[in-house]
Amino acid sequence: MEEEEQLRSFMFLMSYMLLKRRRDINNANIQRRNEIQRRIRHRQYFFQRQKRMLLMMIAGGIRSNVRIRTRPWTTTPSTDWWERVVMTEFQPSDWLDKFRMSRETFFYLCDKLRPRLARQDTSFRLALPVEKRVAVALWRLASNVEYRTISTLFGVGKSTVCRCVRDMCHAIVALLSSIYLRPPTEQDLEDSAQLFLSQWGFPHCVAAISTLHTAIITPSNNASDYANPAGWLSVLSQVAVSGRGQFWDVCASFPGGTDPADILQNSSLWATAAEGGLSPAPTPVFMGKPLRYVLLGEACYSLQSWLMKAYPEEGGRRLSHAALTEPQRLFSRKLTRALRVSEEALLRLRSRWQCLSKRNDCGLDVVPTMILACCILHNMCESHGDAFKAEWQVEVAEAESPQPSHKRLLSTSMDQSHAEEVRHLFCDYFDQQNKL
């Protein structure tokens, strides 16, 4: 019995040793196979990487019109509408409706902006042509529609639409300001004075100053500063408009709650006009006296010898017209009528570029540049004689909030004593004209 017990113990030990040996062999085989597979995968990855690098080097060395386009991470959107419809089938009226300018002006603009907007093709994707980049941006400025809509229409990404708008606005300000938003020459001043007299009945005047409020989304900081007198959030711009209805000077980017008088007094226009920069040499003669050309302004500005505004209705109170003399009332009527040149210019600006008439969803870092770019485009279209459609004004008048009216600025220390004498000269002029 004892021998049998020892034999069973021996057999059990041998069985255990054999099973353990088999398990160890199996584990070793599995590890060996895993290591072999790992090395195979690593070698495959290495060879694929070498192959991709070789293909890139070959593609980069090709000098032909054939480009390798590899975009495995995205689907290529359709560009049929731009390439076939716009470029081949658009009629002159279509260019005017969609891009707010003639076809000739559109391609002129593209040529001017090409140095800043042209991009290089790469081995993996073709750069957008300058014409398409400009068209995308103009569509946004003219319609103020969502980026998503423009993205689908032109077959580009939403981020591309945003980048096109930003790049074109900066390019316009950088390249076209010196052409279409420059200080007037002496000939420009004389021409503008003639237009104010012949079309608006106001003599010895070269420009009208006005303000433009552009609605914006709520900013992240100091939102209360952007609330204008009408109660909605806006960016305030100051413009000087010539007798031709074109912009000579634009100051943008001020919060909507800023006092227009403060903007003017701290602008380069104030310094230029005060130093006689808006009048030719020698000083022209008016009513038998040498007098520099004047600007016209709203009641929110201070009276200057070079800035005329309507008569107040007596020291701080609203009085009846009987408190003013007939020549003074006549002067105020003539001045109010002449100020329509700036009102009409701003209405045409907002009608042509509706990003300024509807709420602008761009950030505050883009809006001022966009306003400047639209003013430059307005001057360019007006200079090129591009047609303006009356229905655009109807659309804006029905859709936008009325422009806020600013508080009348009463007599202050900023008023010049000599300014009242100049205003009397104009009163005498209109009184003489009325008696003829």
Side-chain angles (χ1 to χ4, degrees):
M1 290 295 294
E2 184 176 353
E3 292 178 358
E4 292 179 357
E5 190 69 28
Q6 291 178 350
L7 182 61
R8 280 198 298 272
S9 299
F10 178 75
M11 293 297 295
F12 176 79
L13 180 62
M14 290 299 295
S15 298
Y16 172 78
M17 294 294 292
L18 289 173
L19 291 173
K20 183 176 183 302
R21 176 63 177 170
R22 181 180 298 175
R23 188 169 60 250
D24 291 343
I25 293 173
N26 289 340
N27 289 339
N29 290 335
I30 291 173
Q31 292 178 0
R32 189 178 299 109
R33 283 197 302 269
N34 290 340
E35 179 65 18
I36 292 173
Q37 291 176 357
R38 186 189 68 80
R39 291 183 180 183
I40 291 173
R41 287 195 302 270
H42 178 76
R43 182 160 300 192
Q44 288 176 342
Y45 169 79
F46 175 78
F47 283 129
Q48 289 175 359
R49 182 179 176 185
Q50 292 289 94
K51 182 180 179 180
R52 286 197 300 269
M53 292 178 65
L54 182 61
L55 288 175
M56 289 176 62
M57 293 173 64
I58 295 174
I62 294 177
R63 293 295 183 267
S64 69
N65 293 330
V66 179
R67 293 288 182 174
I68 299 175
R69 297 193 66 186
T70 350
R71 299 179 66 188
W73 56 86
T74 183
T75 58
T76 304
S78 173
T79 60
D80 177 72
W81 182 82
W82 163 255
E83 295 173 352
R84 181 178 61 83
V85 178
V86 176
M87 297 303 289
T88 63
E89 299 181 9
F90 256 32
Q91 300 299 313
S93 59
D94 297 321
W95 285 95
L96 198 61
D97 283 334
K98 304 306 182 185
F99 300 113
R100 295 302 199 258
M101 60 181 63
S102 66
R103 189 179 189 276
E104 294 74 19
T105 302
F106 174 85
F107 284 101
Y108 166 84
L109 177 64
C110 293
D111 289 339
K112 287 293 185 182
L113 301 184
R114 198 175 302 278
R116 290 287 291 263
L117 296 186
R119 299 291 185 270
Q120 294 293 326
D121 295 339
T122 68
S123 300
F124 293 97
R125 68 177 65 189
L126 299 178
L128 284 182
V130 171
E131 291 77 11
K132 189 171 184 178
R133 294 171 64 86
V134 172
V136 167
L138 288 179
W139 197 285
R140 165 67 176 178
L141 299 185
S143 63
N144 202 42
V145 299
E146 294 180 340
Y147 288 152
R148 181 188 311 161
T149 304
I150 304 176
S151 167
T152 304
L153 189 63
F154 284 87
V156 297
K158 288 188 293 184
S159 61
T160 302
V161 177
C162 179
R163 190 162 55 249
C164 288
V165 173
R166 184 187 297 266
D167 291 347
M168 191 192 75
C169 289
H170 282 288
I172 288 173
V173 173
L175 300 178
L176 299 184
S177 293
S178 59
I179 304 174
Y180 295 105
L181 195 64
R182 55 178 176 76
T185 63
E186 290 192 1
Q187 187 61 50
D188 292 333
L189 294 170
E190 294 176 4
D191 293 343
S192 185
Q194 290 295 327
L195 287 169
F196 265 100
L197 178 59
S198 61
Q199 296 186 10
W200 304 100
F202 204 100
H204 215 70
C205 168
V206 293
I209 306 175
S210 191
T211 54
L212 169 66
H213 285 270
T214 304
I216 59 172
I217 58 176
T218 304
S220 56
N221 297 317
N222 305 320
S224 59
D225 294 341
Y226 291 86
N228 58 43
W232 41 279
L233 302 180
S234 65
V235 165
L236 177 60
S237 305
Q238 171 191 282
V239 299
V241 182
S242 70
R244 295 186 183 276
Q246 298 182 17
F247 301 105
W248 276 354
D249 183 84
V250 179
C251 292
S253 79
F254 294 93
T258 309
D259 189 345
D262 293 337
I263 297 176
L264 177 60
Q265 290 167 15
N266 291 281
S267 68
S268 59
L269 179 63
W270 176 283
T272 302
E275 295 171 0
L278 294 181
S279 191
T283 304
V285 176
F286 178 68
M287 294 292 287
K289 297 182 179 180
L291 181 67
R292 294 173 178 172
Y293 285 138
V294 299
L295 309 181
L296 304 183
E298 301 171 350
C300 57
Y301 297 116
S302 61
L303 183 67
Q304 302 292 311
S305 61
W306 49 267
L307 177 60
M308 295 290 101
K309 67 175 185 176
Y311 277 94
E313 307 202 331
E314 190 181 276
R317 298 183 186 174
R318 295 182 62 86
L319 299 179
S320 66
H321 286 294
L324 300 177
T325 64
E326 181 58 31
Q328 290 173 339
R329 292 199 299 271
L330 182 59
F331 168 84
S332 295
R333 288 198 301 269
K334 292 289 188 179
L335 185 142
T336 302
R337 180 176 182 272
L339 282 176
R340 285 174 50 194
V341 67
S342 59
E343 297 172 5
E344 292 186 4
L346 289 173
L347 180 57
R348 290 169 72 93
L349 173 73
R350 301 196 308 276
S351 301
R352 180 176 265 127
W353 310 114
Q354 295 193 11
C355 64
L356 304 183
S357 66
K358 303 174 184 178
R359 191 184 71 167
N360 196 308
D361 294 336
C362 294
L364 287 178
D365 59 327
V366 180
V367 173
T369 306
M370 186 178 292
I371 295 172
L372 282 172
C374 288
C375 291
I376 294 171
L377 289 174
H378 167 88
N379 286 354
M380 184 187 70
C381 293
E382 295 287 320
S383 299
H384 288 211
D386 289 348
F388 181 87
K389 294 193 174 183
E391 54 261 33
W392 299 343
Q393 290 188 355
V394 176
E395 294 174 6
V396 169
E398 293 176 350
E400 75 170 354
S401 301
Q403 288 285 305
S405 57
H406 295 279
K407 184 179 179 182
R408 179 187 296 272
L409 182 66
L410 304 175
S411 298
T412 66
S413 59
M414 292 303 299
D415 291 347
Q416 291 183 346
S417 58
H418 180 54
E420 196 59 54
E421 299 176 9
V422 174
R423 188 156 61 172
H424 279 305
L425 276 180
F426 283 97
C427 289
D428 294 341
Y429 170 84
F430 288 121
D431 188 41
Q432 290 180 12
Q433 294 294 313
N434 194 41
K435 292 177 180 177
L436 293 178

